[in-house]
């Protein structure tokens, strides 16, 4: 075939691939929104429960995102067609015995692409987005706070049914666990802002404590509860005037009056208030630690996820591509082995560029499969050369005269 005939053949193959992408992409558009939800699951799972959402910054961004999902799904589904067209383009230059590898090439290539994509989706993306969107110290603090809040809710439930002793016991255990878990951690919040957040949470905790005591103690404690509520009103007023010292003192007085509701259980009531104060302090520290919050757009996250999934799909195709180049005689195993160290460096650089995080785990998750696929490609080329040499040797043997 002449050069123009090769170009015509290449154009014909590209047109067929484009038509396949167009048809399958149009079909994928029907299910674009559910597919987008599946693709974004690793991103959303890495966000806090109250902030698991993506934003769009223009009126047509959502439509563009869904169209992009359809196109990329079309490319993903067209992988067998693309591989078949690649094989059809190089097949005229192969020996007849080598052309029988067409079906294995297409099947194994499709499987390798799917395995690479699944490897990225289930292993790389979750760890990567957790690293990007969560700081370890902040995440640990939030987990402690969630556990302590559940303990506080249980203590208030016991108080509502009149079980003051049991409520105090739960509050003491929860307070001790929260204090022990937070020892040795250095916090550097902005003082005024952190104090405001802390007192806001403390006022809410005092209100919950007063409500629980009113439900559990009944009519005999109404007079003392009224005085405690009046002190809380004073605390709210002082807080509105930014007199944090007076507000804190008024809240402590309200809690002291509340302890008089059950004089025999004053220690337990004091423990409940101490727990609310520690919860408020922990809440302020958590808010101070999370002074940056992600606001992720649909388009950017989709582009990142699709880039990584396609990159891993292509990486897992590397052994087959190297085997194909070995079949047509473009590369040789001894040449690949000689420049093996250079290939390792290139793989590490490519993994560092493609991986948007700086941690060793995600870099290893991309560089490791890349290096393994290169080694498998070298092995495949060596086996092809060995098989070819054996076949040539058998054809050179002629029967003795």
């Amino acid at each position: 075939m002449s050069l123009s005939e090769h170009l015509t053949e290449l154009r014909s193959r590209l047109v067929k691939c484009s038509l396949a992408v167009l048809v399958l992409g149009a079909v994928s558009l029907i299910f674009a929104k559910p597919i987008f939800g599946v693709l974004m699951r690793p991103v959303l799972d890495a966000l806090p429960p109250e902030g698991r959402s993506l934003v769009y910054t223009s009126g047509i961004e959502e439509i563009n995102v869904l169209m992009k999902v359809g196109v990329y799904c079309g490319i993903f589904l067209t992988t067998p067609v693309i591989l078949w067209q690649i094989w059809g383009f190089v097949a005229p230059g192969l020996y007849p015995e080598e052309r029988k590898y067409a079906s294995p090439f297409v099947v194994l290539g499709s499987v390798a692409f799917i395995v690479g994509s699944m490897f990225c989706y289930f292993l790389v993306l979750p760890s990567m987005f957790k690293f990007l969107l969560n700081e370890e110290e902040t995440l640990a603090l939030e987990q402690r706070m969630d556990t302590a809040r559940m303990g506080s809710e249980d203590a208030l439930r016991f108080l509502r049914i009149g079980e003051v002793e049991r409520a105090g016991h739960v509050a003491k255990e929860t307070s001790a666990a929260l204090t022990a878990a937070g020892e040795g951690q250095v916090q550097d919040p902005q003082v005024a802002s952190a104090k405001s957040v802390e007192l806001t949470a403390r006022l809410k905790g005092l209100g919950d404590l007063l409500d629980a005591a009113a439900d559990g103690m009944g009519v005999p404690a109404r007079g003392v509860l009224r005085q405690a509520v009046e002190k809380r009103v004073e605390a709210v007023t002082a807080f509105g005037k930014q007199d944090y010292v007076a507000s804190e003192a008024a809240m402590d007085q309200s809690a002291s009056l509340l302890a008089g509701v059950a004089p025999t259980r004053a220690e337990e009531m004091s423990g409940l208030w101490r727990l609310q104060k520690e919860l408020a302090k922990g809440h302020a520290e958590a808010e101070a630690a999370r002074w940056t919050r992600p606001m992720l757009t649909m388009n950017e996250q989709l582009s990142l996820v699709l880039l990584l999934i396609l990159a891993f799909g292509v990486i897992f195709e590397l052994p087959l591509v190297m085997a194909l180049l070995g079949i047509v005689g473009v590369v040789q195993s001894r040449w690949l082995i000689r420049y093996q160290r250079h290939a390792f460096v290139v793989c590490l650089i490519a993994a560092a560029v493609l991986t948007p995080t700086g941690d060793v785990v995600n870099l290893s998750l991309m560089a490791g499969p890349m290096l393994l696929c290169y080694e498998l490609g070298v092995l495949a080329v060596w086996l092809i050369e060995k098989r070819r040499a054996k076949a040539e040797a058998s054809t050179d043997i002629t029967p003795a005269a």
Side-chain angles (χ1 to χ4, degrees), residues 74-401:
I75 296 174
F76 185 88
L77 296 174
T78 314
T79 302
V81 178
I82 295 174
L83 293 174
W84 185 265
Q85 296 302 320
I86 292 174
W87 185 269
F89 182 71
V90 301
L94 303 178
Y95 293 105
E97 64 271 10
E98 293 174 339
R99 295 176 187 173
K100 63 183 179 180
Y101 297 120
S103 297
F105 175 79
V106 174
V107 173
L108 292 177
S110 302
V111 172
F113 189 85
I114 294 174
V115 171
S117 302
M118 294 299 101
F119 179 87
C120 176
Y121 182 83
F122 289 107
L123 292 180
V124 177
L125 293 181
S127 62
M128 184 192 74
F129 282 110
K130 285 181 181 178
F131 178 84
L132 287 173
L133 302 178
N134 291 288
E135 297 180 2
E136 293 183 2
E137 294 182 358
T138 304
L139 186 60
L141 179 59
E142 290 178 350
Q143 290 175 345
R144 294 201 314 272
M145 290 296 299
D146 290 338
T147 304
R149 287 191 191 99
M150 289 187 287
S152 174
E153 291 171 358
D154 290 337
L156 294 179
R157 289 188 182 99
F158 280 116
L159 183 60
R160 284 191 176 93
I161 61 176
E163 296 288 340
V164 184
E165 182 179 3
R166 182 59 178 156
H169 179 69
V170 173
K172 184 178 180 180
E173 288 183 346
T174 305
S175 179
L178 182 61
T179 303
E183 289 180 352
Q185 293 199 0
V186 179
Q187 300 291 338
D188 186 21
Q190 297 180 356
V191 178
S193 176
K195 195 66 177 178
S196 174
V197 173
E198 179 183 349
L199 292 184
T200 302
R202 194 182 296 185
L203 283 168
K204 183 181 182 303
L206 179 59
D208 293 339
L209 190 58
L210 289 170
D211 294 339
D215 292 339
M217 299 306 168
V219 178
R222 294 297 182 188
V224 179
L225 287 172
R226 179 179 179 180
Q227 297 178 17
V229 172
E230 289 177 351
K231 281 295 180 181
R232 183 181 182 277
V233 172
E234 291 181 15
V236 173
T237 303
F239 177 79
K241 296 178 180 179
Q242 296 186 353
D243 189 354
Y244 297 148
V245 175
S247 178
E248 190 172 357
M251 281 188 280
D252 288 336
Q253 292 173 8
S254 177
S256 299
L257 289 170
L258 187 60
V261 172
T264 59
R265 300 298 181 191
E267 183 179 353
E268 285 80 359
M269 299 297 290
S270 298
L272 287 168
W273 172 234
R274 192 180 308 113
L275 174 60
Q276 297 301 323
K277 291 169 68 174
E278 290 175 357
L279 282 172
K281 181 180 178 182
H283 176 70
E285 291 177 352
E287 289 297 314
R290 291 186 61 86
W291 58 277
T292 59
R293 287 176 174 81
M295 182 175 290
L296 308 179
T297 63
M298 298 172 62
N299 188 40
E300 290 178 352
Q301 301 313 305
L302 178 64
S303 298
L304 178 59
V305 169
L306 290 177
L307 172 65
L308 291 173
I309 288 178
L310 289 176
F312 271 90
V314 172
I315 288 171
F316 276 65
E317 297 278 0
L318 185 59
L320 288 173
V321 173
M322 293 174 65
L324 178 62
L325 295 176
I327 290 175
V328 299
V330 176
V331 296
Q332 297 179 349
S333 59
R334 67 173 181 270
W335 182 84
L336 295 173
I337 294 173
R338 180 190 302 173
Y339 292 98
Q340 192 174 44
R341 291 176 296 177
H342 302 79
F344 283 4
V345 174
V346 172
C347 289
L348 290 174
I349 294 175
V353 172
L354 292 174
T355 306
T357 61
D359 63 310
V360 178
V361 175
N362 287 301
L363 180 62
S364 301
L365 287 174
M366 174 163 277
M370 196 179 297
L371 297 174
L372 178 61
C373 289
Y374 180 82
E375 292 297 327
L376 291 176
V378 174
L379 178 62
V381 174
W382 180 78
L383 291 175
I384 290 171
E385 290 177 350
K386 187 176 180 180
R387 184 182 181 89
R388 179 181 294 168
K390 185 177 179 180
E392 291 177 353
S394 63
T395 57
D396 291 338
I397 298 177
T398 58

